Amino acid sequence: MNILVIGGGGREHAIAHAFSRSPRVHTVFVSPGNPGMTDVATLVSLDDAAIAAFARGNDVGFVFIGPEQPLANGLADTLRADGVRVIGPSQAAARIESSKAFAKDIMRRYDVPTAAYEVFGDYEPACAFLRTAAFPLVIKADGLAAGKGVTVAHSFEEADEALRGIFIDQRFGQTDVVIEEFLVGWETSIFAFTDGEQFVSTIFSQDHKPLLNGDKGPNTGGMGAYAPVKSAERWRDEVNEKVFGRALAGLRAEGCPFSGILYAGLMMTADGPRVVEFNCRFGDPETEVVLPLLLTDMVSICEAIDGGEVQNLQLKWNDRFAVAVVAASGGYPGSYRKGLAINIEPWQSDEARVYYAGVKQAEDGLATSGGRVLLVAAVADTLSAACDEAYRHMNKISFDDIIYRTDIGAKGY
Ligand code: AMP
Ligand code: GLY
């Protein structure tokens, strides 16, 4: 069969790469993809309305939707209604990510461990709540905000400024606000493959959201990741039962069973794991370290999800470590230059590879076109060796203004 992946970032490059390793896959199409992915994929550019006909006409076994926005828009529903086999939740189930208030209400109702919270629809009552609250606390715009809708406020003034930005300046459009307890601990994330009833969870991984070494500087879409996070393993049974088990049961009970990939972002606190967020899809950049270690055929995973047979799915993992380091454009997450030529001294190794994110085709090669430009992902027997491999290969890559953290993975060893 052929596969069609929807999306165009480093995550989708890693997804396409995983499908390309399946002996059952002939061609991996990606729409719109990016010109760095052509090592494993064939690029196509399809409007949502053209996807079903393309899938039927090109022997596409599964359409795999990478990013949250098309899922929140209901793309999985329209494709399913058109008879296309698709991996990704319905619009109703995707609210677990697209509405933080919905996600928190599900967690409260079905006893999923998470930070205490209140939801507000207007500035005045939210501000009144802040006057009696203890700091720090966390202010979140309700909808999808590409990671920019969260403020950790250490004082009333900081919190009030965030509230004004959301309600008065409408920085994220018309939206509710979730105000929640600040959790202390360390963060890790994990995915579940689920058909809505059964689920199987993956290895744990860890994102690095702040821009600079030592987790300093502004938050970004993620500057690197590693997997597995062995120190999280002791929590696996608890996470399976109280996080995935309860959330999926809750979504079923609410009439919107979730099928696809459910992402749990966790804070490991002194009282155990607490959910910071759910996402309705694979994480980015976690996917770029989890999928390289996955030995199970992606097609059999899709068949189990789509066919309601996840109870028969046994995941096999390469017993090694993966690290992915993001190279970004200087200035990111603020403004940055684009169109800068990317130079790579080529190497021959399956242990280290490049996943492309924000690139475009230039006359004589690839050029930068986004904040996060590419990732170097490396696999090795130990975490520190994987870090060394990733950075050794990053040294072969250059473009003007290139920035990357030099401590990705260091927390894990
Ligand atoms: P979110 O978009 O909800 O994942 O939040 C982005 C980041 O803000 C998280 O990865 C955490 O680092 C931080 N964060 C969010 N909620 C909390 C919380 N309740 N306590 C502490 N940190 C949080
Ligand atoms: N790595 C966080 C996310 O994918 O939302």
Side-chain angles (χ1 to χ4, degrees):
M1 68 173 72
N2 297 321
I3 297 289
L4 172 60
V5 178
I6 304 296
R11 168 181 52 208
E12 286 73 28
H13 194 173
I15 294 169
H17 178 217
F19 276 115
S20 77
R21 295 196 297 274
S22 168
R24 297 175 59 194
V25 172
H26 183 262
T27 301
V28 183
F29 297 102
V30 187
S31 173
N34 71 57
M37 297 179 179
T38 51
D39 56 342
V40 292
T42 300
L43 304 188
V44 288
S45 181
L46 303 168
D47 291 340
D48 286 359
I51 292 174
F54 179 89
R56 275 195 291 274
N58 291 277
D59 193 21
V60 168
F62 289 99
V63 175
F64 192 106
I65 303 176
E68 63 275 18
Q69 193 67 61
L71 292 165
N73 293 347
L75 180 59
D77 307 77
T78 49
L79 292 177
R80 273 192 195 106
D82 254 342
V84 175
R85 288 204 296 179
V86 48
I87 302 300
S90 67
Q91 183 173 41
R95 284 179 297 164
I96 197 79
E97 174 168 5
S98 64
S99 167
K100 289 185 188 290
F102 174 81
K104 294 296 285 193
D105 287 347
I106 291 282
M107 288 188 255
R108 178 181 280 169
R109 218 169 297 150
Y110 298 95
D111 205 18
V112 177
T114 191
Y117 73 103
E118 298 285 339
V119 181
F120 298 94
D122 291 295
Y123 173 74
E124 291 303 334
C127 190
F129 173 82
L130 287 183
R131 285 186 202 287
T132 62
F135 292 88
L137 47 71
V138 186
I139 313 251
K140 301 184 175 184
D142 180 54
L144 292 180
K148 299 191 179 88
V150 176
T151 304
V152 176
H154 297 272
S155 65
F156 172 83
E157 287 69 29
E158 257 183 272
D160 186 53
E161 191 182 317
L163 277 190
R164 285 172 183 276
I166 295 170
F167 282 128
I168 295 168
D169 307 337
Q170 304 226 323
R171 285 182 53 209
F172 307 101
Q174 182 73 36
T175 179
D176 286 349
V177 164
V178 175
I179 302 184
E180 69 178 37
E181 169 199 6
F182 177 75
L183 297 170
V184 178
W186 56 277
E187 285 182 77
T188 184
S189 42
I190 181 169
F191 310 136
F193 297 117
T194 177
D195 52 26
E197 294 274 344
Q198 305 293 324
F199 68 91
V200 49
S201 54
T202 64
I203 52 177
F204 289 89
S205 57
Q206 191 173 70
D207 191 359
H208 296 59
K209 283 183 182 166
L211 180 70
L212 305 173
N213 282 358
D215 288 335
K216 302 265 179 352
N219 255 347
T220 69
M223 294 302 290
Y226 73 92
V229 180
K230 297 276 190 194
S231 50
E233 279 302 327
R234 56 188 283 251
W235 301 107
R236 175 173 299 277
D237 290 346
E238 187 168 339
V239 169
N240 280 342
E241 183 204 327
K242 295 185 180 169
V243 174
F244 289 128
R246 291 181 188 175
L248 291 168
L251 287 162
R252 279 198 301 278
E254 298 292 322
C256 48
F258 184 105
S259 95
I261 289 109
L262 182 59
Y263 166 118
L266 304 171
M267 187 73 81
M268 300 310 216
T269 73
D271 301 322
R274 296 285 178 272
V275 174
V276 173
E277 64 170 344
F278 281 116
N279 292 327
C280 65
R281 38 118 190 132
F282 272 136
D284 194 356
E286 291 97 326
T287 303
E288 292 92 312
V289 290
V290 170
L291 291 188
L293 297 173
L294 178 65
L295 298 175
T296 312
D297 188 322
M298 276 294 277
V299 173
S300 63
I301 293 175
C302 293
E303 285 173 339
I305 292 172
D306 181 65
E309 290 176 352
V310 168
Q311 75 271 17
N312 299 327
L313 184 62
Q314 292 216 338
L315 299 182
K316 291 203 181 61
W317 299 96
N318 192 336
D319 190 21
R320 303 179 83 199
F321 290 83
V323 172
V325 180
V326 172
S329 303
Y332 173 78
S335 60
Y336 49 82
R337 294 197 290 163
K338 293 182 186 173
L340 306 169
I342 300 170
N343 306 302
I344 301 192
E345 228 179 277
W347 65 77
Q348 294 290 328
S349 163
D350 282 341
E351 313 269 272
R353 55 189 306 131
V354 180
Y355 292 127
Y356 286 96
V359 297
K360 63 179 179 189
Q361 194 65 49
E363 258 168 42
D364 45 1
L366 295 173
T368 66
S369 73
R372 290 189 297 169
V373 174
L374 58 84
L375 304 94
V376 177
V379 173
D381 288 342
T382 65
L383 180 56
S384 72
C387 293
D388 290 347
E389 262 316 87
Y391 283 111
R392 193 164 71 79
H393 288 87
M394 186 62 96
N395 275 329
K396 302 174 195 273
I397 299 179
S398 63
F399 53 84
D400 284 353
D401 303 347
I402 187 171
I403 51 168
Y404 52 87
R405 281 180 61 158
T406 56
D407 65 345
I408 300 299
K411 264 183 291 185
Y413 63 88

